Amino acid sequence: MIEIREADPTSDVLRPIVEAHFAHSESAGPAESNHTMSAESLAGPGIRFCAIYDDQQALGCGALKLLPDGTAEVKSVHILAQARGRGLARVMMTHLADLARAEGVEALVLETGAEHLPEYDAARKLYEALGYSYCGPIFGYSDDPNSAFMRLALEPRS
């Protein structure tokens, strides 16, 4: 049974998933364009870190970073390689949107790899399918040719 719950990214179970995400980001583009957060940073204030489980097996993670402009940044969405192809990243992204919406966040924003970085093709396609649109640099970032910035307005659920 798939379940998502808030968790500690520094735990022995989840740290390897966060580190796998960090390693992927390090290898996918130049260091100056890598905005991936460490497990310790993801455990910090203003971050809601979630893990996705199948029964008790941790398969992935995702987080929200609350920003002072009324938005929340999606961070560290990662599904372990052996669990990919099951739609779990979509499940995590939907969960994060629902969580942010319930907290009154006006929009979700994110930074991912630009079009010339094929390692991020699947992520960009997922975000597009979920209704994210491309935008300029989000809060805390500057223009970067290696980054794509995206935004999803959150309408309250009726």
Side-chain angles (χ1 to χ4, degrees), residues 78-121:
H78 187 84
I79 303 299
L80 292 174
Q82 64 267 27
R84 292 186 188 148
R86 297 172 51 189
L88 297 178
R90 178 181 293 270
V91 170
M92 177 59 77
M93 291 294 294
T94 301
H95 176 80
L96 294 173
D98 290 344
L99 184 62
R101 187 178 288 109
E103 293 179 357
V105 172
E106 69 182 45
L108 290 180
V109 294
L110 59 84
E111 180 274 339
T112 191
E115 192 172 314
H116 67 274
L117 298 172
E119 297 87 345
Y120 293 99
D121 287 349

Side-chain angles (χ1 to χ4, degrees), residues 33-108:
S33 297
N34 185 354
H35 305 286
T36 308
M37 297 174 75
S38 68
E40 286 72 24
S41 295
L42 289 166
I47 308 286
R48 302 277 302 267
F49 181 86
C50 298
I52 189 166
Y53 297 86
D54 188 352
D55 289 322
Q56 296 302 311
Q57 176 74 34
L59 300 177
C61 63
L64 291 176
K65 178 181 179 182
L66 298 176
L67 301 176
D69 65 355
T71 66
E73 183 181 0
V74 175
K75 298 295 292 184
S76 300
V77 174
H78 187 84
I79 303 299
L80 292 174
Q82 64 267 27
R84 292 186 188 148
R86 297 172 51 189
L88 297 178
R90 178 181 293 270
V91 170
M92 177 59 77
M93 291 294 294
T94 301
H95 176 80
L96 294 173
D98 290 344
L99 184 62
R101 187 178 288 109
E103 293 179 357
V105 172
E106 69 182 45
L108 290 180

